[in-house]
Amino acid sequence: MSSAPETQPALPGLPALLTAVAQAVDAAGTRTPVVLIDGPSGAGKSSLADLLVRHWPGPVAPRLVRMDDVYPGWDGLLSASAALARDLLEPLATTGRGRWRRWDWAHDRPAEWHELSGPAPLIVEGCGTLAAANVRRAHLAVWLDADDTLRKTRALGRDGATFASHWDQWQAEFEQYLARETPRERADLVLDVTDWPIGSPPRYESGATVVP
């Protein structure tokens, strides 16, 4: 497993997460290693994905797909979750080639397709990634927990008034997703990131065991 560059500050607990990622990569063998990161809005999914890209424990840099680029509008969580399996993860696992379609938020319409092929690792982050059909094709499924008030503050601070006007709409669909897919229960690793990245590193939890 490669170590973090000396110019980047090490986070306590990061080696435990990277060990889980390295094990997932080994388990993938010649297939594309797939890491999925899910959790409620504002929990820190994008930040964690960026962290993994920087500290990836392997010689081949991972590709990153953000579900924010896939959702077909503010009521598109469930359809994007289904498209992730149908268009990207399933064909990538079975044929070595998959794709995803970008949503043009500015013009409220579908945009170009992005093709992925080959065994380079893949990280997908965003609400909806830990649906059953997606986890079936993943080598590591990560769920983020965070204080509800804090995550809403983070999300609205990041996306401003646009998200504020759609918060209840988005949250309602997220609740439907939780009830239908029980994504937290499907996770291999649960992280409490309430204090991260604002004040302190995440507290890693695998099953009932907290990893220091």
Side-chain angles (χ1 to χ4, degrees), residues 128-146:
T129 58
L130 295 197
N134 299 326
V135 173
R136 188 165 70 93
R137 294 302 186 181
H139 298 92
L140 181 65
V142 181
W143 177 267
L144 306 189
D145 281 333

Side-chain angles (χ1 to χ4, degrees), residues 151-199:
R151 70 178 183 80
K152 185 174 183 179
T153 299
R154 288 177 182 173
L156 298 185
R158 177 192 64 205
D159 297 323
T162 299
F163 195 2
S165 64
H166 293 280
W167 178 268
D168 291 340
Q169 175 186 359
W170 181 263
Q171 189 63 24
E173 189 169 14
F174 185 68
E175 293 293 338
Q176 294 178 37
Y177 164 66
L178 294 180
R180 188 172 80 177
E181 297 288 349
T182 59
R184 192 181 191 277
E185 285 68 27
R186 301 185 191 282
D188 301 306
L189 195 64
V190 175
L191 293 73
D192 183 342
V193 293
T194 293
D195 299 326
W196 179 84
I198 296 174

Side-chain angles (χ1 to χ4, degrees), residues 25 32-33 52-64 118-123:
V25 172
T32 300
L52 284 182
V53 169
R54 292 197 304 271
H55 295 272
W56 189 259
V60 180
R63 298 165 290 186
L64 174 60
L122 173 64
I123 300 171

